Amino acid sequence: MSNIKTVEAPEGVEGQGFFATSLEKVVGIARSNSLWPLPFATSCCGIEFMATMGSTYDIARFGSERPSFSPRQADLLMVMGTIAKKMAPIVKQVYEQMAEPRWVLAMGACACSGGIFDTYSVLQGIDRIIPVDVYIPGCPPRPEQVLDGLMQVQELAKNESLRRRNSPEYQELLASYNIK
């Protein structure tokens, strides 16, 4: 049984010795199969992410085997675990330093909603400071859930229009988070 992921050819015109499709579809396939995650792990969800990186679950099958610890080289911010309100400006700064296109994955109950920590010091979901594309529930979520979340981000990356990031709706979304 092979662990190699095959990529379906996009819609296009096929002939002897050539294949033509739109640039947008080719870029989408390239983006979706070469996501570079920046893991922002603070607690037990980080341990589950480490398990996902291991050989049993092998996140490398999805083109994400290179975790980037520099926001300027990453395009997927994976926020995992409890985020204290004091850390919120740092998470937002990391997000702002990432180049477009960028996606955010909130992993675990604490990153999604504050989890069991309904206290004055814990941020009740990272979507209060940055836009989130995919939520992975659980405390902590299993590695299979992490892989499913990653596949959802891949679908977003593959199907996203090249011009969406320049749209007034996207600019309005960023403005609602006070992000330039």
Side-chain angles (χ1 to χ4, degrees):
M1 194 159 94
S2 175
N3 282 341
I4 298 172
K5 181 182 175 194
T6 59
V7 178
E8 296 294 323
E11 293 178 17
V13 179
E14 193 171 351
Q16 188 166 351
F18 77 93
F19 181 79
T21 188
S22 68
L23 176 66
E24 192 166 283
K25 290 180 182 172
V26 171
V27 169
I29 289 173
R31 282 180 178 168
S32 70
N33 290 295
S34 63
L35 292 172
W36 286 5
L38 189 155
F40 196 98
T42 60
S43 49
C44 45
C45 287
I47 302 301
E48 290 298 319
F49 176 70
M50 289 178 213
T52 309
M53 295 288 291
S55 61
T56 302
Y57 297 99
D58 192 20
I59 202 169
R61 294 179 290 162
F62 303 95
S64 298
E65 69 270 11
R66 184 200 175 275
S68 178
F69 297 100
S70 168
R72 290 174 180 87
Q73 296 176 348
D75 50 12
L76 171 61
L77 177 60
M78 298 178 74
V79 181
M80 304 169 242
T82 310
I83 302 297
K85 287 183 180 174
K86 284 186 175 183
M87 292 167 45
I90 285 52
V91 173
K92 187 172 183 176
Q93 181 180 14
V94 166
Y95 177 79
E96 289 174 338
Q97 289 178 356
M98 293 172 66
E100 290 283 359
R102 57 190 172 201
W103 295 274
V104 177
L105 186 142
M107 180 177 159
C110 294
C112 293
S113 66
I116 60 170
F117 304 105
D118 189 11
T119 65
Y120 71 94
S121 62
V122 174
L123 188 67
Q124 299 301 303
I126 64 164
D127 55 2
R128 295 184 183 222
I129 54 166
I130 57 174
V132 176
D133 297 295
V134 174
Y135 295 89
I136 303 175
C139 185
R142 297 271 311 137
E144 295 89 355
Q145 290 174 274
V146 178
L147 294 177
D148 184 58
L150 181 64
M151 288 189 291
Q152 289 180 22
V153 173
Q154 283 184 317
E155 280 301 310
L156 289 173
K158 183 168 35 173
N159 298 320
E160 181 177 277
S161 166
L162 294 177
R163 293 180 180 83
R164 182 182 89 84
R165 303 285 169 154
N166 298 327
S167 70
E169 294 86 11
Y170 186 72
Q171 298 305 319
E172 187 178 309
L173 172 70
L174 292 181
S176 71
Y177 286 96
N178 201 17
I179 296 172
K180 296 174 185 157

